[in-house]
Amino acid sequence: MASRSLPPVTHKWSVAGVKCPELTGAAGQRLKVGGEGTETRSTGSEDFSKIIECRWGPEDRSTISITAKLSVWANQAGANAGWQTVSTTLVKPQALAGVGDEAFVSQPLNLRGIQVDVRTGNAYATIHLVPAAGAAGGDAELRKAAAEIAGDIIDELVPA
């Protein structure tokens, strides 16, 4: 895989205590997905990396829902390699300004909603914002909220 240059690292986050963040911003409230995320999966150890998957909203897609996979690496090289892989396989990526060191909004592989991928130092997150099942035109509202939701998800990382 070809490597591309990455933006400079601005933060170093702790692998210890990685948890599902609380969506406290106005975008989460507007989308009715505010509050603490529910952990759906967790892997890794505090020595190497911690990957946690979270959900806000119902699993049945009766209303808007958000899922996020947050990866924090003890080693910057591991974070860089993971981010290179994640960010070079996006479908129709567009740069998303104002969040993290680098972020993109793209089309998720399941073609529902939007996907946001954001990197900050030795951490990155893949976030899916999914409209309610059968909702027409919900992507515009999700796209408008993308940067704020992504910022809300990474703002509870703990400095190393």
Side-chain angles (χ1 to χ4, degrees), residues 25-118:
Q29 301 306 315
R30 269 193 324 274
L31 298 177
K32 296 182 177 45
V33 292
E36 191 171 327
T38 300
E39 183 178 317
T40 58
R41 186 173 179 191
S42 178
T43 59
S45 71
E46 294 181 359
D47 297 334
F48 183 66
S49 69
K50 186 72 172 185
I51 300 169
I52 189 167
E53 296 179 28
C54 308
R55 169 180 285 288
W56 296 263
E59 287 186 53
D60 67 2
R61 296 191 345 229
S62 58
T63 63
I64 291 172
S65 63
I66 296 175
T67 60
K69 181 178 183 179
L70 182 59
S71 304
V72 183
W73 295 80
N75 177 306
Q76 188 63 50
N80 290 349
W83 178 247
Q84 286 279 12
T85 301
V86 166
S87 64
T88 57
T89 59
L90 301 175
V91 177
K92 299 180 183 176
Q94 297 174 331
L96 182 62
V99 61
D101 299 331
E102 184 173 44
F104 299 98
V105 62
S106 64
Q107 180 71 54
L109 293 177
N110 68 2
L111 304 178
R112 295 224 3 105
I114 64 167
Q115 179 173 319
V116 178
D117 290 88
V118 59

Side-chain angles (χ1 to χ4, degrees), residues 17-28:
V18 174
K19 64 181 179 110
C20 289
E22 185 173 349
L23 297 182
T24 58

